[in-house]
Amino acid sequence: MARFLLTRRSPLPPAECWRRLTDWPRHGERVPFTRVRVVPGGGDVRDARDVHGLPGDLVVARTRLGPLRFDDPMEIVELTAPAPGQDGHCRLAKRGRAVRGGAELRVRAVDGGGSEASWAEELRIAGLPALFDPVVAGVGRVVFGRLLDHLLDAPAQGASAE
C-alpha cells in the first residue's frame, strides 16, 4: 500500500482551516480531471449546499479523461470539528473498486496562533503491483500537497483577493 503524510502550518484559526479542508467540492479544483461531490448516506435529505458532510456520507471524486472515467467513493467514517482543547479529525475509508485505502485529516491549534493541518493517506490502486507503491506515494505527495496548499492559501469565503 502506498503511504504518505503531508503537514502544513497556516496562520488561519483552526475553525477556518477545518472549514476549508473539509469543503470537499473544492478538492476538485486542484486534482486533475476530477470533480468532487458529497452524497448523503442513509437516505438523509439535507441542504445540497452542505459541502462538509456527516459520518456515513460519501465523498465521491469522479475522475474523467475523455471516455475513461472512474469514481473514488470515500465514506466519512469520523468527522469531529476542532474546538478549544480538541483537534479536528476526519477519517475517510475508500470504498471503490479502483482505489482502496483511506485518509486521515487533522487540524490542531498552534501555540501563538494559527493551525497545523495534516493529511495522511494510504492507497492501493487495483491491478497495480506493490512494486509501484513508491511512485504512487510520490505522485500523491505532489498532487495532494498542491491541493492542501491551495485550500489553505485561498482567500476566505466572501473575501477579496488583493
Side-chain angles (χ1 to χ4, degrees):
M1 192 157 292
R3 293 177 172 87
F4 61 87
L5 171 65
L6 303 166
T7 303
R8 300 291 192 271
R9 300 263 323 239
S10 171
L12 297 170
E16 177 63 10
C17 183
W18 179 257
R19 184 190 69 76
R20 293 177 184 206
L21 196 59
T22 60
D23 184 346
W24 307 113
R26 289 205 55 225
H27 287 219
E29 293 175 7
R30 284 293 190 259
V31 179
F33 313 109
T34 302
R35 290 191 181 260
V36 182
R37 64 189 168 94
V38 177
V39 177
D44 293 346
V45 176
R46 291 196 308 275
D47 189 328
R49 294 169 295 178
D50 180 9
V51 297
H52 304 284
L54 295 170
D57 289 352
L58 289 179
V59 175
V60 181
R62 170 165 275 196
T63 300
R64 183 177 190 167
L65 182 58
L68 303 174
R69 65 180 142 229
F70 72 92
D71 286 344
D72 179 10
M74 298 160 274
E75 180 183 352
I76 300 173
V77 178
E78 285 181 57
L79 187 72
T80 305
Q86 174 181 296
D87 294 352
H89 178 249
C90 177
R91 188 164 57 93
L92 301 164
K94 293 183 174 284
R95 302 285 191 220
R97 286 183 263 164
V99 183
R100 302 295 287 186
E104 287 201 43
L105 291 70
R106 287 192 182 277
V107 172
R108 69 175 191 86
V110 176
D111 289 339
S115 54
E116 180 180 83
S118 65
W119 183 315
E121 186 120 9
E122 295 184 339
L123 298 168
R124 166 70 62 213
I125 298 176
L128 196 62
L131 171 70
F132 292 97
D133 285 352
V135 173
V136 171
V139 170
R141 274 191 288 280
V142 170
V143 170
F144 290 103
R146 288 182 56 213
L147 169 61
L148 193 52
D149 292 341
H150 169 73
L151 292 171
L152 298 180
D153 289 343
Q157 190 173 38
S160 62
E162 297 181 13

